[in-house]
Amino acid sequence: MGGILGTEICIAFGADYNPEQWNRDVWKEDLELMQQAGVNLVSVGIFAWSELEIRPDEYHFEWLDDALDGLAASGIKANVATATASPRPWFSRLYPETLPMLADGSRLWPGARQAFCPSSPIFRKHALRLTTKIAERYADHPALAMWHVSNEIGGHNALCYCDVSAAAFRRWLEDRYGDLDRLNETWGTSFWSQRYSEWGQILPSRQAATFGNPAHALDFRRFSSDACLAIYIAERDALRKITPDIPITTNLMPNHRELDYWAWAPEVDVVAVDHYLNSAEPEAHIELAFSADVSRGLAGGAPWMLMEHSTSAVNWQPRNIPKQPGEMIRNSLQHVAHGADSVMFFQWRASRIGAEKYHSAMVPHAGTDTKIWREIVELGGILERLQEVAGTTLSADVAMLYDWESRWALDAPSHPSVDVKYLDQVHSLYRALWGAGVTVDVIPPEANLAGYRLVVVPSLYIASAVTAGNVEQFIATGGAAIVTYMIIGNRATSPSSRVKWFATVSSMWRMVPTR
Amino acid sequence: MGGILGTEICIAFGADYNPEQWNRDVWKEDLELMQQAGVNLVSVGIFAWSELEIRPDEYHFEWLDDALDGLAASGIKANVATATASPRPWFSRLYPETLPMLADGSRLWPGARQAFCPSSPIFRKHALRLTTKIAERYADHPALAMWHVSNEIGGHNALCYCDVSAAAFRRWLEDRYGDLDRLNETWGTSFWSQRYSEWGQILPSRQAATFGNPAHALDFRRFSSDACLAIYIAERDALRKITPDIPITTNLMPNHRELDYWAWAPEVDVVAVDHYLNSAEPEAHIELAFSADVSRGLAGGAPWMLMEHSTSAVNWQPRNIPKQPGEMIRNSLQHVAHGADSVMFFQWRASRIGAEKYHSAMVPHAGTDTKIWREIVELGGILERLQEVAGTTLSADVAMLYDWESRWALDAPSHPSVDVKYLDQVHSLYRALWGAGVTVDVIPPEANLAGYRLVVVPSLYIASAVTAGNVEQFIATGGAAIVTYMIIGNRATSPSSRVKWFATVSSMWRMVPTR
Amino acid sequence: MGGILGTEICIAFGADYNPEQWNRDVWKEDLELMQQAGVNLVSVGIFAWSELEIRPDEYHFEWLDDALDGLAASGIKANVATATASPRPWFSRLYPETLPMLADGSRLWPGARQAFCPSSPIFRKHALRLTTKIAERYADHPALAMWHVSNEIGGHNALCYCDVSAAAFRRWLEDRYGDLDRLNETWGTSFWSQRYSEWGQILPSRQAATFGNPAHALDFRRFSSDACLAIYIAERDALRKITPDIPITTNLMPNHRELDYWAWAPEVDVVAVDHYLNSAEPEAHIELAFSADVSRGLAGGAPWMLMEHSTSAVNWQPRNIPKQPGEMIRNSLQHVAHGADSVMFFQWRASRIGAEKYHSAMVPHAGTDTKIWREIVELGGILERLQEVAGTTLSADVAMLYDWESRWALDAPSHPSVDVKYLDQVHSLYRALWGAGVTVDVIPPEANLAGYRLVVVPSLYIASAVTAGNVEQFIATGGAAIVTYMIIGNRATSPSSRVKWFATVSSMWRMVPTR
């Protein structure tokens, strides 16, 4: 029976594993504990640039050789990272022009992570050089099960407003529009005297005196998502040249706002996602279900990987709440029930250092005589007994159209009310379906609707003619659709639509201002 | 009978008209609908720089010729703009030093509007060149009724902290103070070691380590208002040279904070204002009355023009509430009742593009089979029947002294309480008078008080010796005055004043901190 | 009997005195009123750079000569400032590179005060030149009682992120760590790929894409405190060279966050502090008691000077509440009861100018026929009658360990909850002791605990091995200790500690998120 990775792994169980933070005695204990818990896959080297390329083009792979050999000897597979998630400090010291720029013109400096402009050709060159080195070195390593490109690409630096990004944005626009007249027409630059007479006049949607052109801002978001995706594709292609048969992915964030993952999903060999509960959300388990359904949607219904979640509290929310007893196992199985063939965590062993030292892990600071470790061991046993669900898929009668572009466009400023936010609208309808025990496929806006009984279209601000046609056809052939307000894109192009685009009464109250 | 513009127009009825956003078929419908509604005046070309000067000094006036010819043929007058409200993108591409700078040193980039430093001589040169071209071309056009200089000057960019503004600020200070000792004395630079020994040391009141010198900040505001006014005056003078008999104005914003309109009012041939309701204000109709009284005050009691308001919701507030049935007509007539001889809107036809596409208009997106259009037609009929009120004026027994300089000075930081804000104090007293059905003249702080029975002086932080003398004389001759607290300016110069400068008990509670 | 300054002064009574803001008539009245109130010490020249060095190296001391002569003739001693608290505008005009930089890269401009980078060698050079001039001129002046270095050093500009600070930070780090490997190990740079290969790669903890390295941020705070202290030491040493017998101090701010005053206290000849009530704090009198105990702790139990507090409202809080009748005297005596041998104010006469013109003073704007003046005269009489308490000390059975480094470290981001703030934890326990009428010594974390019955250790995030050993030994010899949670430093180094590091139940609820 082949699992999600085409290997002997049925349900992957493991974590990010960062041996570079620990001495060799700890490595030894790590392998023993991994075996004890039933860990079968770990992600290695994600932030290892620092330890691999000490100075430009001076590499130290020995420690990683040893770590991977240890995993292989213990029967644990490795999801080997390209290690390009965060460049070492020498990089921005040599190339300060690669630092990301905020909309106000200030820079993001090194000291955290992802301190690079996604469009930087200098960053790209260095990242590909390292990627190729790693691929060459570990192509035939017995532990290698898959490649992990970068990490949460665009998590912090998706929107870079620097001059390098400006030039890349212009090239992207030239590709999209061909001639400047078409761009001027589409953006509506006759409003507020914004017509461009040369490509070189176009800038990222930087800090301006008042509301910027909304089409400009929307295209800058599209470009930014594509610029981040291009990082993935470049590293993937470098890997594929060397190891054509090893699956390649990167960890997506289904509740992240900045990236249009419908465009990303076709580029990965297996959809892998990171998911973290929001402590401020009283019904976080419903958001988990929605994010898991988004993940399954990205995978086209096929099994997907939960690449990261947490064993208990995280460290980056204002108030980080530890999980209740049993909650981590319940969350894990909830992902499996929504189609995940993998339960993985950030991270294997809780760090003693760095910005995430308060982030929970499989092995907590307090060691193995702990609630968390006991539950990890229990979870390993449960997943072992669940092998028969691996590779299975779900079927749903209900589909919800979901769209990152509509999220960007609806949440833009200078709209009727700041209280109308895309994800609230989506969650509001999803919550009702979840409460009724309905399984929902979350699908792209232009997806085929055949086979569903009900299609839900929450506030799909940018609805294309294809989408409108699909929904009309779906209704004409007996389907039922719920379409809520703030749908703009298609009014002009399909004025005689037979679809009744209406606002649900239950959502409409949100238009009333809060006092 | 000559109306407000010295033409056959009695009460002006119309809107901003932006034909550059539409094709010629729409233009044709526009003229028919304008006639149907009784529109007699439209403002044309306000943001047309983009369509008029495609490249530096390359002009395309043909479309505007046609639009004005169409208006003339339809018997509709034009308020022709100088089109300098927002430069085209090529401008800041060629002259990046003209971008406005915030107090923190960051720039405001193009992409919205008004992306220019008010003190920039380069901007001034280009704006005057365009103004002159327009004046020459349309001086004798039959549609031309008046000139509209720029648009809401200083609406977003009044306070620019760049080095060009710094140099202009120093010249303004040299004019005001003559020698540096007098400036040092007036600003109190012996406090916190701030004494200047050369003019070149003086900067705009940029971001500092803690509270800046309040006199410095106040003078920077005075300078900034004057710098914006200078834009108006320069364009006005360019127009007047070519068309000495055509009235010239610009649209003021009576509830705007940054500009001292008492200094502006004498420079316009007719006072024209923009007024928008604040959706977050439960008694917005009282604020409307106050702003209308400010407008009448700016006009010295003469009729004034409502140059812009909205038919329903705007787009730029956090929550933009559509108007109730009848509310738009009521608001319009409320302005007329307070002295307006004009009811005009932003804008004629709702945009399909740009940052204000959710702003209501005379012709809504949904066309003429709508509440808004029916009310517009109804309003046109009402104004037609109200011709006899055109040119009439109001008389009031009560005057309120109002002052932008006091607003700047009172609202400055490092004061007793952030809860004491000038406009709140003013509105609080105005609201009481409004509730009692009292008509109020809002007048400048040094105005002649003869003829009033009651004078209200709310928190006039900067009260000159002239003002104090006027109020004393007014009381001495039998008048009654209400003077509330936080009046500073005159204590020193008139210590023996017979006026009892007292704090009203009803306002005094505001000094108690909120918990 | 010799008082705190080794002079005839027993309890110092006075204020900041800024004659440069007033004409000579006022000076004359000042001296009469000082004598009337019993003032015996005033701080002179704190912000006088402006009036002393008109142009680079051009000095005007005559006015200060006269002011000091007047004080001497009236029997009033002077605490003469080095006048370096805020450079004159010519300084940053000539040396713009000395302006402080925020974490986002923007500058703090002149116009307020303290517009200089603490690490600037150019600033240091100019400050020492002025300090030396002043010391030479007034070394033998009969009014001179003590020297006042700068003013509230680091109050606004402690954290400067400019390139000059970056270089100084690197030198500081080289001194601290010797080699880069040790820094990498201590900072945990193997997390998120942050390992440095050259000192030149290290920057201040500037604005980054997400949470920065916490050890990096902590060391930057340590460096910044030392950089500010170095200003004090440099000026002190310049003074001491000329007047070896005159006591030297600077005014510390016990509730200020940015400076580790345990390192500062040994460098001053007498501990002097500024204390202001927080109007938003309903139990400000308890915070006063705590700050006074911190001050006594800084003085090692010896008498200390209250160098500044206010007679009534200040001007720099959002809502500045005047003091109730009797409150100023009560506050003053509360400081004396906690060990102060001095009651001084900012400032002698309320300014008519500048950013603090609403700050209360000993002589209010309204003159001497006022509540404040009557209370000042009353307070002078009380202090005269309290001479016998001068030089006395307190004894306490209870000690609380307090630590600025732990405050920086505990309040860092990416921690379990934003609701857990160091000062809240400290105040919470102090408040309980205050309510029980217990006198508390606030002492440094590694202080000798002998002689106490109870030691309280609130959330001492960075507890060294010395501290842990002290507390263990203290308990072993019969002492009782209360140690609350979020103590990190020593777990690793003393795993077998006999001390039970526990969280008090009463504080633990704070970990629950607020809703």
Side-chain angles (χ1 to χ4, degrees):
Chain A
M1 181 180 73
I4 188 169
L5 300 173
T7 69
E8 68 272 28
I9 297 173
C10 292
I11 299 184
F13 182 49
D16 283 17
Y17 177 44
N18 299 303
E20 67 271 26
Q21 295 178 21
W22 303 93
N23 65 39
R24 300 290 174 122
D25 289 345
V26 177
W27 291 22
K28 195 157 160 284
E29 190 190 70
D30 285 336
L31 295 173
E32 291 163 8
L33 290 176
M34 285 179 192
Q35 289 177 310
Q36 185 183 326
V39 163
N40 53 26
L41 183 70
V42 291
S43 305
V44 183
I46 289 178
F47 288 100
W49 197 336
S50 193
E51 309 294 326
L52 293 175
E53 191 179 2
I54 302 297
R55 279 176 198 80
D57 222 19
E58 174 190 328
Y59 299 96
H60 294 258
F61 280 108
E62 302 72 18
W63 67 271
L64 186 52
D65 298 345
D66 293 348
L68 290 172
D69 292 350
L71 291 169
S74 304
I76 298 162
K77 289 291 177 188
N79 174 22
V80 181
T82 58
T84 60
S86 214
R88 230 183 183 251
W90 58 252
F91 180 72
S92 51
R93 173 79 176 160
L94 288 177
Y95 310 108
E97 69 273 31
T98 63
L99 293 175
M101 183 178 280
L102 297 183
D104 66 1
S106 66
R107 295 281 187 178
L108 296 176
W109 292 85
R113 61 176 181 178
Q114 288 188 339
F116 61 87
C117 161
S119 300
S120 165
I122 301 174
F123 172 78
R124 186 75 53 87
K125 192 185 90 180
H126 281 79
L128 291 183
R129 193 171 67 183
L130 179 63
T131 298
T132 301
K133 286 274 176 196
I134 290 175
E136 286 168 351
R137 188 163 191 107
Y138 300 115
D140 300 316
H141 196 284
L144 178 67
M146 64 187 299
W147 294 115
H148 184 288
V149 169
S150 190
N151 181 65
E152 296 184 348
I153 298 172
H156 308 295
N157 61 348
L159 299 170
C160 174
Y161 297 83
C162 77
D163 286 343
V164 171
S165 292
F169 181 38
R170 288 191 286 264
R171 286 191 299 272
W172 183 93
L173 290 167
E174 287 201 53
D175 283 349
R176 183 177 178 92
Y177 292 105
D179 71 287
L180 205 47
D181 284 349
R182 204 167 139 240
L183 177 143
N184 277 311
E185 177 68 17
T186 306
W187 285 13
T189 55
S190 59
F191 185 82
W192 280 0
S193 187
Q194 298 170 345
R195 187 168 295 268
Y196 297 98
S197 47
E198 287 174 20
W199 290 101
Q201 293 160 3
I202 304 175
L203 293 171
S205 45
R206 291 180 183 158
Q207 169 177 276
T210 180
F211 303 116
N213 181 305
H216 175 196
L218 182 61
D219 268 351
F220 185 65
R221 285 193 164 275
R222 287 175 171 132
F223 153 75
S224 298
S225 177
D226 286 357
C228 289
L229 176 55
I231 293 173
Y232 170 77
I233 290 175
E235 296 193 20
R236 180 200 64 188
D237 291 350
L239 294 166
R240 188 154 289 161
K241 209 179 298 173
I242 295 161
T243 60
D245 300 324
I246 299 292
I248 308 172
T249 193
T250 188
N251 45 344
L252 314 181
M253 299 163 282
N255 49 22
H256 192 54
R257 172 191 161 110
E258 316 304 353
L259 305 167
D260 176 9
Y261 285 136
W262 294 128
W264 289 52
E267 306 292 342
V268 296
D269 293 331
V270 54
V271 165
V273 307
D274 296 351
H275 184 265
Y276 293 95
L277 298 176
N278 177 359
S279 286
E281 168 59 67
E283 299 187 311
H285 56 291
I286 305 181
E287 193 284 323
L288 185 159
F290 176 72
S291 285
D293 286 344
V294 171
S295 305
R296 191 176 71 251
L298 291 169
W304 50 280
M305 294 187 73
L306 177 65
M307 188 66 92
E308 293 182 20
H309 71 148
S310 67
T311 61
S312 188
V314 300
N315 65 293
W316 43 266
Q317 298 182 8
R319 297 170 187 87
N320 301 286
I321 305 184
K323 293 188 177 172
Q324 297 295 315
E327 183 179 355
M328 182 265 284
I329 293 177
R330 188 190 72 193
N331 292 165
S332 299
L333 298 181
Q334 199 181 354
H335 283 293
V336 172
H338 284 262
D341 275 11
S342 144
V343 176
M344 297 181 71
F345 296 91
F346 175 83
Q347 57 181 334
W348 164 251
R349 185 180 281 275
S351 296
R352 288 177 315 170
I353 54 171
E356 298 201 311
K357 63 182 177 292
Y358 285 104
H359 197 295
S360 60
M362 293 177 87
V363 182
H365 294 124
T368 53
D369 185 13
T370 52
K371 178 201 82 164
I372 287 180
W373 179 252
R374 281 184 287 273
E375 292 197 358
I376 284 296
V377 173
E378 183 184 349
L379 177 59
I382 292 170
L383 294 177
E384 180 70 25
R385 295 193 299 279
L386 279 178
Q387 287 191 21
E388 65 183 299
V389 311
T392 61
T393 56
L394 281 79
S395 74
D397 287 337
V398 176
M400 178 178 279
L401 301 192
Y402 182 71
D403 185 27
W404 277 272
E405 295 201 350
S406 287
R407 184 172 177 188
W408 301 334
L410 183 64
D411 292 358
S414 77
H415 275 197
S417 171
V418 293
D419 295 325
V420 179
K421 291 295 175 201
Y422 182 71
L423 212 53
D424 292 345
Q425 302 298 316
V426 168
H427 284 168
S428 156
L429 287 168
Y430 185 88
R431 197 180 298 121
L433 294 163
W434 190 91
V438 176
T439 299
V440 179
D441 281 350
V442 177
I443 58 176
E446 299 192 351
N448 183 354
L449 306 178
Y452 292 109
R453 290 172 55 204
L454 174 66
V455 169
V456 182
V457 188
S459 299
L460 191 69
Y461 193 82
I462 302 174
S464 72
V466 172
T467 298
N470 284 355
V471 175
E472 290 187 40
Q473 174 66 18
F474 173 71
I475 295 173
T477 56
I482 297 175
V483 182
T484 65
Y485 63 104
M486 288 299 281
I487 293 183
I488 303 304
N490 219 54
R491 281 198 184 155
T493 56
S494 138
S496 64
S497 167
R498 290 165 55 204
V499 180
K500 186 165 166 44
W501 302 91
F502 64 94
T504 56
V505 172
S506 65
S507 297
M508 203 60 188
W509 68 269
R510 288 176 176 274
M511 297 293 288
V512 178
T514 58
R515 279 277 154 75
Chain B
M1 182 179 76
I4 188 169
L5 300 174
T7 69
E8 67 272 25
I9 297 173
C10 291
I11 299 184
F13 182 49
D16 283 17
Y17 177 44
N18 299 304
E20 67 272 26
Q21 296 177 23
W22 303 94
N23 65 39
R24 299 289 175 122
D25 289 344
V26 176
W27 291 21
K28 196 158 160 285
E29 191 190 71
D30 284 336
L31 295 173
E32 291 164 8
L33 292 176
M34 285 179 192
Q35 289 177 309
Q36 185 182 325
V39 164
N40 54 27
L41 183 69
V42 292
S43 304
V44 183
I46 289 176
F47 288 100
W49 197 335
S50 194
E51 309 294 326
L52 293 176
E53 191 179 2
I54 304 297
R55 279 176 198 81
D57 222 20
E58 174 191 327
Y59 300 95
H60 294 257
F61 281 109
E62 302 72 18
W63 68 271
L64 185 52
D65 297 346
D66 294 348
L68 290 172
D69 291 351
L71 290 169
S74 303
I76 299 161
K77 289 290 177 188
N79 174 23
V80 181
T82 58
T84 60
S86 214
R88 235 189 178 241
W90 60 251
F91 180 72
S92 50
R93 174 78 176 159
L94 288 177
Y95 310 107
E97 69 273 32
T98 63
L99 293 175
M101 183 178 280
L102 297 182
D104 67 2
S106 66
R107 294 281 186 178
L108 296 176
W109 292 85
R113 61 175 180 178
Q114 288 187 337
F116 61 88
C117 161
S119 300
S120 165
I122 301 174
F123 173 78
R124 186 75 52 88
K125 192 184 91 180
H126 281 79
L128 291 183
R129 192 170 68 183
L130 179 63
T131 298
T132 301
K133 287 274 176 195
I134 290 175
E136 287 168 350
R137 190 162 190 106
Y138 300 116
D140 301 316
H141 197 284
L144 178 67
M146 63 188 301
W147 294 116
H148 185 289
V149 169
S150 189
N151 182 66
E152 296 184 348
I153 298 172
H156 308 296
N157 60 347
L159 299 170
C160 174
Y161 297 83
C162 77
D163 286 343
V164 171
S165 291
F169 181 37
R170 288 190 286 263
R171 285 191 299 273
W172 184 93
L173 290 167
E174 288 201 50
D175 283 350
R176 183 177 178 92
Y177 292 104
D179 70 287
L180 205 47
D181 284 348
R182 202 164 141 244
L183 177 143
N184 277 311
E185 176 67 16
T186 307
W187 284 14
T189 54
S190 58
F191 185 82
W192 280 0
S193 186
Q194 298 170 345
R195 188 169 294 267
Y196 298 98
S197 46
E198 287 174 19
W199 290 101
Q201 294 159 3
I202 304 176
L203 293 170
S205 46
R206 291 179 183 158
Q207 168 178 276
T210 181
F211 303 115
N213 181 304
H216 175 195
L218 182 61
D219 267 351
F220 185 65
R221 285 193 165 274
R222 287 175 171 131
F223 153 75
S224 297
S225 177
D226 286 356
C228 290
L229 176 55
I231 293 173
Y232 170 77
I233 290 175
E235 296 192 20
R236 180 200 64 189
D237 291 350
L239 293 166
R240 188 153 289 160
K241 209 179 297 173
I242 296 162
T243 61
D245 300 324
I246 299 293
I248 308 172
T249 194
T250 188
N251 46 344
L252 314 181
M253 300 163 282
N255 50 22
H256 193 54
R257 172 191 161 110
E258 317 304 351
L259 305 167
D260 176 8
Y261 285 136
W262 293 127
W264 289 53
E267 307 291 343
V268 297
D269 292 331
V270 54
V271 165
V273 307
D274 296 352
H275 184 264
Y276 293 95
L277 298 177
N278 177 359
S279 287
E281 168 59 67
E283 298 186 311
H285 57 291
I286 304 180
E287 193 285 323
L288 185 159
F290 176 74
S291 285
D293 286 345
V294 171
S295 306
R296 191 177 70 253
L298 290 170
W304 50 280
M305 294 186 73
L306 177 64
M307 188 65 92
E308 293 182 20
H309 71 150
S310 68
T311 62
S312 188
V314 300
N315 65 293
W316 43 267
Q317 298 182 9
R319 296 170 187 88
N320 301 286
I321 305 184
K323 293 188 177 171
Q324 297 295 316
E327 183 179 356
M328 182 267 284
I329 293 177
R330 187 191 73 193
N331 292 164
S332 299
L333 297 181
Q334 198 181 353
H335 283 292
V336 173
H338 284 261
D341 274 13
S342 145
V343 176
M344 297 181 71
F345 296 91
F346 177 84
Q347 59 181 335
W348 164 252
R349 185 180 281 275
S351 296
R352 288 178 316 172
I353 54 172
E356 298 201 312
K357 63 182 177 291
Y358 286 105
H359 196 295
S360 59
M362 293 178 86
V363 182
H365 293 123
T368 54
D369 185 12
T370 52
K371 178 201 83 163
I372 287 179
W373 180 252
R374 281 185 289 272
E375 292 196 357
I376 284 296
V377 173
E378 184 184 349
L379 177 60
I382 292 169
L383 294 177
E384 181 69 25
R385 296 195 297 278
L386 279 178
Q387 287 192 18
E388 64 183 298
V389 310
T392 61
T393 56
L394 282 77
S395 74
D397 287 337
V398 176
M400 178 178 279
L401 302 192
Y402 182 71
D403 185 26
W404 277 271
E405 295 201 349
S406 288
R407 184 172 176 186
W408 302 333
L410 183 64
D411 293 358
S414 77
H415 275 198
S417 171
V418 293
D419 295 324
V420 179
K421 292 294 175 203
Y422 181 72
L423 213 52
D424 292 345
Q425 302 298 316
V426 168
H427 284 168
S428 155
L429 286 169
Y430 185 89
R431 197 179 298 121
L433 294 163
W434 190 93
V438 175
T439 299
V440 179
D441 281 350
V442 177
I443 59 176
E446 300 193 352
N448 183 353
L449 305 177
Y452 293 109
R453 290 172 56 205
L454 174 67
V455 169
V456 181
V457 188
S459 300
L460 191 69
Y461 192 81
I462 303 175
S464 72
V466 172
T467 298
N470 285 354
V471 175
E472 289 186 41
Q473 174 66 16
F474 173 71
I475 295 172
T477 55
I482 298 175
V483 181
T484 64
Y485 62 105
M486 288 299 279
I487 294 183
I488 302 304
N490 219 56
R491 281 197 185 157
T493 55
S494 136
S496 63
S497 166
R498 289 167 54 203
V499 180
K500 187 165 164 48
W501 302 90
F502 64 95
T504 57
V505 172
S506 65
S507 297
M508 203 60 190
W509 69 270
R510 286 177 177 273
M511 296 294 287
V512 179
T514 58
R515 279 275 155 75
Chain C
M1 181 177 79
I4 189 169
L5 300 173
T7 69
E8 69 273 27
I9 296 174
C10 293
I11 299 183
F13 182 49
D16 283 16
Y17 177 44
N18 299 304
E20 67 272 26
Q21 296 177 22
W22 302 93
N23 64 39
R24 300 289 174 121
D25 288 344
V26 177
W27 292 21
K28 196 158 158 285
E29 191 191 71
D30 285 336
L31 295 173
E32 290 163 9
L33 291 176
M34 285 179 192
Q35 289 176 309
Q36 184 182 326
V39 163
N40 54 26
L41 182 70
V42 292
S43 305
V44 184
I46 289 177
F47 288 100
W49 197 337
S50 193
E51 309 295 325
L52 292 176
E53 191 178 3
I54 303 298
R55 280 177 198 80
D57 222 18
E58 174 191 329
Y59 301 94
H60 294 256
F61 281 109
E62 301 72 19
W63 68 270
L64 186 52
D65 298 346
D66 294 348
L68 291 172
D69 291 350
L71 291 168
S74 302
I76 298 161
K77 289 290 178 189
N79 174 22
V80 181
T82 59
T84 60
S86 214
R88 234 186 179 245
W90 59 252
F91 179 73
S92 50
R93 174 78 176 160
L94 288 176
Y95 310 107
E97 69 273 32
T98 63
L99 292 175
M101 183 179 280
L102 297 182
D104 67 0
S106 66
R107 294 282 185 177
L108 296 176
W109 292 84
R113 61 175 180 178
Q114 288 188 337
F116 61 87
C117 161
S119 300
S120 165
I122 301 174
F123 173 78
R124 186 75 53 87
K125 192 185 90 181
H126 280 79
L128 291 182
R129 194 171 68 183
L130 180 62
T131 298
T132 300
K133 286 274 177 198
I134 290 175
E136 288 168 350
R137 190 164 190 104
Y138 299 115
D140 301 316
H141 197 284
L144 177 68
M146 63 188 300
W147 293 115
H148 184 288
V149 169
S150 190
N151 182 65
E152 296 184 347
I153 298 173
H156 308 296
N157 60 347
L159 299 170
C160 175
Y161 297 83
C162 77
D163 286 342
V164 171
S165 292
F169 181 37
R170 289 190 286 263
R171 286 191 300 272
W172 184 91
L173 290 168
E174 287 201 53
D175 284 350
R176 183 177 178 92
Y177 293 105
D179 71 287
L180 206 47
D181 283 349
R182 200 163 142 244
L183 178 143
N184 277 311
E185 176 68 17
T186 306
W187 284 14
T189 54
S190 58
F191 185 82
W192 280 0
S193 187
Q194 298 170 345
R195 188 169 293 269
Y196 298 98
S197 47
E198 287 173 19
W199 290 101
Q201 294 159 3
I202 304 175
L203 293 170
S205 46
R206 290 180 183 158
Q207 169 177 277
T210 181
F211 302 115
N213 181 304
H216 175 195
L218 182 61
D219 267 351
F220 185 65
R221 284 193 165 276
R222 287 176 172 132
F223 153 75
S224 298
S225 177
D226 286 356
C228 290
L229 176 55
I231 294 173
Y232 170 76
I233 289 175
E235 296 193 20
R236 179 200 64 188
D237 291 351
L239 294 166
R240 188 154 289 163
K241 208 179 297 173
I242 296 162
T243 60
D245 301 325
I246 299 292
I248 307 172
T249 193
T250 188
N251 44 346
L252 314 181
M253 299 162 283
N255 50 21
H256 193 53
R257 171 191 163 110
E258 317 304 353
L259 305 167
D260 176 9
Y261 285 136
W262 293 128
W264 289 53
E267 307 292 343
V268 297
D269 292 332
V270 54
V271 166
V273 307
D274 295 351
H275 183 266
Y276 292 96
L277 298 176
N278 176 359
S279 286
E281 169 58 69
E283 298 186 311
H285 55 292
I286 304 180
E287 194 284 324
L288 186 159
F290 176 74
S291 285
D293 286 344
V294 170
S295 305
R296 192 178 69 252
L298 291 169
W304 50 278
M305 294 187 73
L306 177 64
M307 187 66 92
E308 292 183 21
H309 71 150
S310 68
T311 61
S312 188
V314 300
N315 65 294
W316 43 266
Q317 298 182 9
R319 297 171 187 87
N320 301 287
I321 305 185
K323 294 189 177 172
Q324 297 295 316
E327 182 179 356
M328 181 265 284
I329 293 177
R330 188 191 71 194
N331 292 165
S332 300
L333 297 182
Q334 199 180 353
H335 283 292
V336 172
H338 284 261
D341 274 12
S342 145
V343 177
M344 297 181 70
F345 296 92
F346 175 82
Q347 59 183 333
W348 165 250
R349 186 180 281 275
S351 295
R352 287 177 317 170
I353 54 172
E356 298 201 310
K357 62 182 176 292
Y358 286 105
H359 196 294
S360 60
M362 293 178 86
V363 182
H365 293 123
T368 53
D369 186 12
T370 52
K371 178 201 84 165
I372 287 179
W373 179 252
R374 282 184 288 272
E375 293 196 356
I376 284 296
V377 173
E378 184 184 348
L379 176 60
I382 291 170
L383 294 176
E384 180 71 24
R385 296 194 296 280
L386 279 178
Q387 288 194 21
E388 62 183 298
V389 310
T392 60
T393 56
L394 282 79
S395 74
D397 286 338
V398 176
M400 178 178 279
L401 300 193
Y402 182 71
D403 185 27
W404 277 272
E405 294 200 349
S406 287
R407 183 172 177 187
W408 301 333
L410 183 64
D411 292 359
S414 77
H415 275 197
S417 171
V418 294
D419 295 324
V420 179
K421 292 295 174 202
Y422 181 71
L423 212 52
D424 292 345
Q425 303 298 316
V426 168
H427 284 168
S428 155
L429 287 168
Y430 186 88
R431 197 180 297 121
L433 295 163
W434 190 93
V438 174
T439 300
V440 178
D441 281 349
V442 177
I443 59 176
E446 299 192 351
N448 183 354
L449 306 177
Y452 292 108
R453 291 173 54 206
L454 174 66
V455 169
V456 182
V457 189
S459 300
L460 191 69
Y461 193 83
I462 302 175
S464 71
V466 172
T467 299
N470 285 353
V471 175
E472 289 187 42
Q473 174 66 15
F474 173 71
I475 295 173
T477 54
I482 298 174
V483 182
T484 65
Y485 62 105
M486 290 298 281
I487 293 182
I488 303 304
N490 219 55
R491 281 199 183 155
T493 54
S494 139
S496 64
S497 166
R498 290 165 54 204
V499 180
K500 187 165 165 45
W501 300 91
F502 63 94
T504 58
V505 172
S506 65
S507 297
M508 203 61 188
W509 68 269
R510 286 177 177 273
M511 296 295 287
V512 179
T514 58
R515 278 277 157 72

